Amino acid sequence: MEKIYSLRAEIFKALSHPIRLKIVECVSKEEKSVGEIVKYVEAEASNVSRHLALLRKAGILSDRKEGLNIYYCLEIPCVMEFFSCVNKVVKTRLELNRDMLKKI
Amino acid sequence: MEKIYSLRAEIFKALSHPIRLKIVECVSKEEKSVGEIVKYVEAEASNVSRHLALLRKAGILSDRKEGLNIYYCLEIPCVMEFFSCVNKVVKTRLELNRDMLKKI
DNA sequence: GTACTATTTGATAACATTACCAATTAATCA
DNA sequence: TGATTAATTGGTAATGTTATCAAATAGTAC
């Protein structure tokens, strides 16, 4: 398997967790401190910290230190364009479920 | 965590494996039989079969049976638009690696 | 120096994913 | 019927991911 497919897969893997998707949404408009992100996603700080590190390592977020705070922002804004397509897939799946329900 | 983030994450998870990305590429232009896909991705048939099932379950591929063969095709063409953005991230990462290399 | 706050890291246990080989199903045809 | 081909499924061991709690780091202010 050519390496390029693995490199691409890593980006999708970085986006394949609900907390990480919520983090991406949180920082998509403007940078946010870790504290703000933790409040937004409603998860344990240490857990969020790991997800942030993973997103940074994948190249999706970048960070900046200022005093005690660390601010994260979306490094690759085009990632946001994924969501309308993903919502389309999700919608189709939910509609299929609804149609199956009708048949019961 | 709202359910919608988990549903979205499942789509990304389905795309987060090199073999599955190669499968998506393989069937993106026209439907292909499992045999053709197996040749294209150069992996074990049983392995490819499981990846195909996963992509179908996620709603990304659909399948059609004809005689002994099963044909898969891309159900959600907009997925292909992800790749130019993903390549951008990959390129940035590779450039960072190159720049680090220069400093050694 | 101590105290305080923000964030990350270590250790670990629970859980999920993957590849492999063998066995199975399903369709076709002689 | 049995043989052949295409594809999937069962079992399993190896590997990877995640959440949690405690501990550590790093910056600020006194």
Side-chain angles (χ1 to χ4, degrees):
Chain A
M1 178 70 53
E2 302 91 299
K3 182 101 194 275
I4 186 71
Y5 293 99
S6 302
L7 289 169
R8 286 176 187 154
E10 275 184 62
I11 311 300
F12 288 113
K13 189 179 279 181
L15 294 169
S16 73
H17 191 286
I19 289 183
R20 292 199 289 272
L21 289 184
K22 202 165 180 185
I23 289 173
V24 167
E25 187 190 64
C26 177
V27 304
S28 65
K29 291 237 173 67
E30 51 193 0
E31 63 172 16
K32 295 270 168 61
S33 72
V34 175
E36 293 173 304
I37 297 168
V38 167
K39 271 212 198 75
Y40 187 79
V41 306
E42 298 171 293
E44 257 207 28
S46 64
N47 196 5
V48 170
S49 177
R50 276 189 225 278
H51 287 300
L52 284 169
L54 197 154
L55 285 164
R56 176 164 36 74
K57 195 154 165 269
I60 295 168
L61 303 187
S62 60
D63 65 337
R64 170 179 86 77
K65 197 161 192 174
E66 187 180 311
L68 264 181
N69 298 286
I70 298 178
Y71 293 89
Y72 281 85
C73 76
L74 185 56
E75 182 72 15
I76 314 289
C78 58
V79 164
M80 293 309 291
E81 292 163 21
F82 291 8
F83 294 118
S84 67
C85 177
V86 165
N87 282 343
K88 214 181 288 180
V89 189
V90 168
K91 201 176 163 211
T92 305
R93 288 185 61 182
L94 292 176
E95 283 168 354
L96 281 176
N97 286 355
R98 185 196 55 193
D99 296 346
M100 287 212 301
L101 195 58
K102 277 186 196 156
K103 291 179 190 158
I104 298 176
Chain B
M1 176 72 52
E2 303 92 298
K3 182 102 194 275
I4 186 70
Y5 291 101
S6 302
L7 289 169
R8 287 177 187 154
E10 275 185 62
I11 312 300
F12 288 113
K13 188 180 279 183
L15 294 169
S16 74
H17 191 286
I19 290 183
R20 293 199 290 271
L21 288 185
K22 204 166 178 184
I23 290 174
V24 168
E25 189 190 62
C26 177
V27 304
S28 65
K29 292 237 173 67
E30 50 193 0
E31 64 172 15
K32 294 272 168 60
S33 72
V34 175
E36 293 174 304
I37 297 168
V38 166
K39 272 211 197 77
Y40 187 80
V41 308
E42 297 170 292
E44 257 205 28
S46 65
N47 196 5
V48 170
S49 177
R50 276 189 224 277
H51 286 301
L52 285 168
L54 195 155
L55 284 165
R56 175 164 38 74
K57 195 155 166 268
I60 295 168
L61 303 188
S62 60
D63 64 337
R64 170 178 86 77
K65 196 161 190 172
E66 186 180 311
L68 266 179
N69 298 286
I70 297 177
Y71 294 89
Y72 281 86
C73 77
L74 186 56
E75 182 73 15
I76 313 289
C78 59
V79 164
M80 293 309 291
E81 291 163 22
F82 291 8
F83 293 118
S84 68
C85 177
V86 165
N87 282 343
K88 214 181 287 181
V89 189
V90 169
K91 200 176 163 211
T92 305
R93 289 184 60 182
L94 293 175
E95 284 169 353
L96 282 175
N97 286 353
R98 185 195 56 191
D99 296 347
M100 287 211 302
L101 196 59
K102 278 186 192 156
K103 290 180 187 156
I104 297 176

